[in-house]
Amino acid sequence: MNEQQHVAPSWIESFDMWTDEAYHADPFPQLEELRRTCPVAHSATHGGYWICTDYESVYRVLRDNDSFSHRQSTVPQPTDPLGPQIPVGLDPPAHGPWRALLTPAFSPAQVELFEPVVRDAAIRLLEPIRHRGECEFMADFAMELPAAAILPFLGLPASALGMVKAWEEESMSQVNVSPTARDRAYAETKPKVRAYLERQIAERIATGPIGDDVLSRLVGGEIEGRAPTMDEMVNACSMLLSAGLHTTTATLGNMVLYLAQHAEQRDRLTEEPSLIPTAIEELMRYEGLVTTGRVATKDVDVGGQVIQAGEPVLLSIPSALRDEAMFSEPDAAKFDREPSPTLAFGVGIHRCLGSHLARMELRVAMEEIHRHIPRYRLAPGRPVRRHTAIHRTTEALWLLVA
């Protein structure tokens, strides 16, 4: 790394992803400038933190569990009434037993069993959209499909769908607005989630495990020779419920927005549905999604910068996935791109537990969208709203489909 790459742009010292409007609308020009000038840069906001933007640094920190803790996942760290999220907020050795308990529920074979459920839900949601000739895609499909899919996967009844959607709307409407709004949403929503999950878990304890769903694995499982506590099971189930909704909803919106803006790419998927899996991988790279965080546990050199023990670090996965050093023509979405190293689901011990489920949901959604409403396009006079903070999301996406 040459000396010029250590000269950070002046704006980074006061950069705040929560309030920077240009960043919300399109973060990639600022991220490209950081990769080019100072890939590991410092901001003084929120008490000070580092931000990594190049692939090498992001990858290194994601895998370095000796130097970085997962107990801080963003800046500033949210106040979660349920405590550190299980298993994503745990470091080794506490993380391993929980990962071992939950991983079998998310295996490819287990996910495959739920594909008919997801496909039926997608068709059910798309039929009225096709007849109406328009939709607000985020509310009418992108939020609905993951909610319908995750409930049976976790072992929760379909009757919870209305409540889950309400909780999701409460939290998603605030989670990217500001740290204060996010914490307020957590304080208001998490107690409702806790009360509901406690009732469901108590019922499952009474009946005993009834299958391979997540609740059955929790109540029938052991963590280092003991049964998980009620608080631990509520925490783990809440995390999986939230993650299964937020990330898939945001990814669906980002993908369909891109395709609605690029009719030739949209039509190619209709004409060549076999391209859908590789298109999904490329669009996850192109759009990025999550900016996650860690906190240094000791002084450590990353990208030529010394990050001191106790200092938080943001990891811009969207930026890493546009790194010119790793990807040719990174600012173009190329559906025939050769397989390349992805960070879309993270790497290392904290790699996304639900990656197989998410890929299946996205594939089924894309297949059915391009079968039922293949000519979708942006609705004139309906501006698209986007937001980039923890997640890169599309907040409102009106489409015409006829």
Side-chain angles (χ1 to χ4, degrees), residues 212-271:
D212 288 329
D213 59 78
V214 171
L215 280 189
S216 291
R217 289 189 175 275
L218 286 171
V219 302
E222 291 187 348
I223 298 296
E224 297 184 310
R226 64 170 179 83
T229 67
M230 175 64 78
D231 282 349
E232 288 171 333
M233 289 189 285
V234 167
N235 184 314
C237 196
S238 173
M239 187 282 296
L240 295 170
L241 179 63
S242 177
L245 295 172
H246 283 185
T247 53
T248 309
T249 294
T251 301
L252 278 170
N254 293 341
M255 288 182 175
V256 169
L257 172 59
Y258 173 86
L259 292 166
Q261 293 172 323
H262 297 82
E264 72 288 352
Q265 297 276 61
R266 177 203 66 191
D267 293 346
R268 189 177 179 195
L269 295 187
T270 301
E271 295 161 5

Side-chain angles (χ1 to χ4, degrees), residues 324-335:
E324 301 83 349
M326 290 297 298
F327 305 95
S328 64
E329 300 181 69
D331 295 325
K334 302 168 67 175
F335 293 171

Side-chain angles (χ1 to χ4, degrees), residues 164-182:
V164 168
K165 285 166 50 184
W167 297 334
E168 181 71 355
E169 289 166 2
E170 288 174 12
S171 60
M172 278 199 72
S173 65
Q174 301 299 318
V175 73
N176 273 340
V177 173
S178 71
T180 301
R182 176 197 60 194

